[in-house]
Amino acid sequence: DAKTTQPPSMDCAEGRAANLPCNHSTISGNEYVYWYRQIHSQGPQYIIHGLKNNETNEMASLIITEDRKSSTLILPHATLRDTAVYYCIVRVPGNTGKLIFGQGTTLQVKP
Amino acid sequence: EAQVTQNPRYLITVTGKKLTVTCSQNMNHEYMSWYRQDPGLGLRQIYYSMNVEVTDKGDVPEGYKVSRKEKRNFPLILESPSPNQTSLYFCASSSGLGDSTDTQYFGPGTRLTVL
């Protein structure tokens, strides 16, 4: 699975959009970009994933650059409950199923 | 509601006393896995199972056993727990189809302390 690079921390004002970047310059053609988050010590929560097209669901949007070397997770209207560690993971679906969580980005949403 | 459940959520035990942490999923998922999370080390995979009666070691299997007799259950067994197994444990499951729907869903975690 390709390696990812994320900033260690970010702040966001409540109600504003939170844009979390991820670099994955060694991504291969069949690898998907997944985003998870972990709130305090709860179980990691799946947010969204995509291959090359932009994706949107009820939680977030995922923007993947045309060359697929980077992506951005967008939380359109961040709330205090979105304060968490966000992980960007690149992998082939299946593939022994193991998720490799890096250090992630700690997002602090402030009132 | 689709979910992964774990029991117990918290457990304090003593060295050498066998224990089992249960994991159950109601999504008819083929794939299940156990992770442990330790400060500074992130989540590390202990064991995984691609289907009933099919299990394999992850990155840190020493001191642990698993079984997969039914699709929905994947218990983690510590035959003789030691203090270095004090950790936060997560069970996860996914369809295992290897396609774009193959996302993992995690349980709430079990915080284990071995004295």
Side-chain angles (χ1 to χ4, degrees), chain B residues 15-108:
Chain B
T15 298
K17 186 176 181 181
K18 181 180 178 180
L19 66 92
T20 299
V21 183
T22 65
C23 173
S24 183
Q25 50 90 7
N26 62 1
M27 295 170 277
N28 199 38
H29 282 167
E30 302 279 336
Y31 176 91
M32 297 185 74
S33 177
W34 277 102
Y35 295 82
R36 61 177 288 176
Q37 186 173 31
D38 303 288
L41 296 176
L43 278 91
R44 294 177 292 169
Q45 192 183 54
I46 303 171
Y47 268 94
Y48 65 94
S49 169
M50 302 296 284
N51 211 327
V52 174
E53 302 291 2
V54 180
T55 64
D56 210 343
K57 297 177 181 179
D59 295 322
V60 288
E62 295 76 22
Y64 304 95
K65 287 176 57 177
V66 293
S67 69
R68 186 92 182 273
K69 292 182 169 52
E70 310 166 273
K71 183 183 275 193
R72 64 182 292 124
N73 297 322
F74 190 46
L76 179 69
I77 303 157
L78 284 72
E79 295 266 0
S80 183
S82 63
N84 64 11
Q85 293 178 298
T86 292
S87 187
L88 181 58
Y89 291 86
F90 293 105
C91 180
S93 75
S94 71
S95 66
L97 295 175
D99 61 13
S100 63
T101 68
D102 197 353
T103 57
Q104 287 197 25
Y105 298 90
F106 285 78

Side-chain angles (χ1 to χ4, degrees), chain A residues 25-43:
Chain A
S25 58
T26 61
I27 192 170
S28 59
N30 61 347
E31 288 183 309
Y32 283 69
V33 180
Y34 290 80
W35 282 85
Y36 283 77
R37 73 180 182 184
Q38 187 173 24
I39 298 172
H40 194 43
S41 293
Q42 297 178 23

Side-chain angles (χ1 to χ4, degrees), chain A residues 5-10 19-23 35 86 103-107:
Chain A
T5 303
Q6 301 177 250
S9 64
M10 294 181 63
N19 297 281
L20 293 91
C22 180
N23 286 320
W35 282 85
Y86 287 77
Q103 295 305 307
T105 297
T106 299
L107 175 68

Side-chain angles (χ1 to χ4, degrees), chain A residues 1 4 87-91 97-102, chain B residues 35 43 59:
Chain A
D1 295 340
T4 63
Y87 298 98
C88 169
I89 298 167
V90 172
R91 62 186 291 268
K98 178 171 64 177
L99 294 179
I100 300 174
F101 289 80
Chain B
Y35 295 82
L43 278 91
D59 295 322

